[in-house]
Amino acid sequence: MSVFGGYSRYYDLLYRDKDYAGEAAYVHGLIERHRPGSVSILDLGCGTGRHDFCLTQLGHELTGVDLSHEMLAVAEREKAAFQGPRAAPTFVQGDVRSVRLGKSFGVVVSLFHVMSYQTQNQDLLQALVTIREHLKPGGLFIFDCWYGPAVLSDPPVVRVKRLEDANIQVTRLAEPVMHANDNLVDVNYQVFVRDKHSGAVEELRETHTTRYFFGPEIRHFCELAGLRLQEFQPFMADGAPGFGTWNVVFLGTRD
Ligand SMILES: C[S@@+](CC[C@H](N)C(=O)[O-])C[C@H]1O[C@@H](n2cnc3c(N)ncnc32)[C@H](O)[C@@H]1O
């Protein structure tokens, strides 16, 4: 099973408290500031589509792409119940490094560290070329990722997360292993899922290899891909990122 394979079954529960509506409003605000009136959005690495449903509610037309069949299956289930001002998002299975949809968009987004899953230089470059290939001239791209200065200043530690709903209790251990010379962190997840009715416990293990990036390298790879990096800033905050800013958003355009 792929990364986000087994994990997809508990993904929305694990991130139940994540403020997708607030994040979508923030992305909408960035679009209004940098490319006002733009409606069509491609979301690369859309996962279970939660930003996409929120952005649709804000008046955008969404296409989401993800590698994981399992994450997309959750998105399709949500889509069946979706009601909004525009047509529900379209979801497509594909790899952000190679997918070609044969159409272009006013905005391409990639949210919640999808770019950090592009761990090799070639992966990142290919993903950025995918962005360029799907942007209209003058179109805007927005993506966030782990920010190197903060990851090195405040390295990841072991974390435990416990959540439950009416049917299951989930306990997730996240054990990071840093590879300083590759700018990578292996986050080893061990997830215990207890069925509240039967008492049965299922164990699941996944390793998510995650890359942290620095501003100058993102600028360089954007240039190689034919994109212009305009600015980067703390995700959902103003000002310049620094040693305490783990999550940074990069914005730019296709000329
Ligand atoms: C942390 S999740 C974020 C999902 C979603 N954007 C969200 O905010 O909930 C990362 C997602 O990136 C997807 N992903 C990682 N590498 C990918 C690739 N090369 N092509 C397509 N999707 C990818 C994973 O399948 C997963 O759904």
Side-chain angles (χ1 to χ4, degrees):
M1 197 176 268
S2 61
V3 171
F4 287 99
Y7 203 71
S8 63
R9 305 212 301 275
Y10 318 110
Y11 185 84
D12 283 345
L13 178 58
L14 285 166
Y15 294 108
R16 184 174 58 187
D17 298 331
K18 187 169 164 61
D19 182 13
Y20 280 95
E23 293 182 9
Y26 166 72
V27 169
H28 176 71
L30 292 175
I31 294 169
E32 286 306 296
R33 178 139 43 97
H34 294 275
R35 196 177 155 90
S38 195
V39 171
S40 62
I41 303 179
L42 172 63
D43 181 7
L44 294 175
C46 63
T48 58
R50 291 182 61 190
H51 287 117
D52 304 338
F53 294 115
C54 295
L55 285 164
T56 303
Q57 295 287 7
L58 294 171
H60 296 283
E61 290 171 1
L62 266 294
T63 301
V65 170
D66 204 279
L67 196 56
S68 163
H69 291 280
E70 295 88 350
M71 296 288 268
L72 289 173
V74 178
E76 290 291 352
R77 277 203 298 279
E78 293 296 320
K79 179 176 169 175
F82 178 78
Q83 291 181 331
R86 291 189 181 264
T90 300
F91 295 112
V92 179
Q93 197 277 332
D95 191 318
V96 303
R97 296 167 295 183
S98 56
V99 69
R100 295 292 180 269
L101 299 176
K103 57 193 280 201
S104 55
F105 300 79
V107 179
V108 177
V109 301
S110 189
L111 300 168
F112 198 13
H113 312 150
V114 176
M115 284 298 155
S116 283
Y117 284 84
Q118 313 316 310
T119 54
Q120 303 301 310
N121 290 345
Q122 192 62 14
D123 301 325
L124 175 65
L125 180 58
Q126 288 176 339
L128 293 172
V129 169
T130 297
I131 291 177
R132 191 206 53 218
E133 290 297 304
H134 291 89
L135 272 181
K136 297 181 197 290
L140 175 72
F141 69 84
I142 301 169
F143 66 81
D144 67 330
C145 64
W146 282 19
Y147 189 53
V151 174
L152 294 179
S153 306
D154 176 20
V157 294
V158 173
R159 290 186 197 280
V160 179
K161 195 165 184 177
R162 289 192 181 83
L163 288 156
E164 63 184 284
D165 63 15
N167 300 312
I168 55 173
Q169 280 176 332
V170 178
T171 305
R172 185 190 74 174
L173 275 72
E175 294 179 285
V177 177
M178 293 190 71
H179 302 282
N181 296 324
D182 299 316
N183 295 2
L184 296 177
V185 182
D186 285 338
V187 185
N188 296 303
Y189 289 112
Q190 190 175 13
V191 186
F192 298 96
V193 185
R194 183 176 165 276
D195 185 306
K196 284 182 166 177
H197 308 293
S198 69
V201 177
E202 181 190 3
E203 183 186 339
L204 168 81
R205 287 174 187 261
E206 282 189 11
T207 296
H208 292 205
T209 301
T210 309
R211 180 166 172 181
Y212 45 91
F213 290 108
F214 298 81
E217 67 180 326
I218 293 291
R219 186 177 300 285
H220 176 66
F221 280 102
C222 283
E223 283 167 10
L224 287 180
L227 295 168
R228 186 186 301 272
L229 177 66
Q230 303 284 4
E231 61 188 57
F232 54 105
Q233 60 194 56
F235 187 70
M236 304 234 344
D238 293 327
F243 294 116
T245 317
W246 255 73
N247 193 8
V248 163
V249 65
F250 289 82
L251 282 93
T253 50
R254 176 192 165 164
D255 289 341

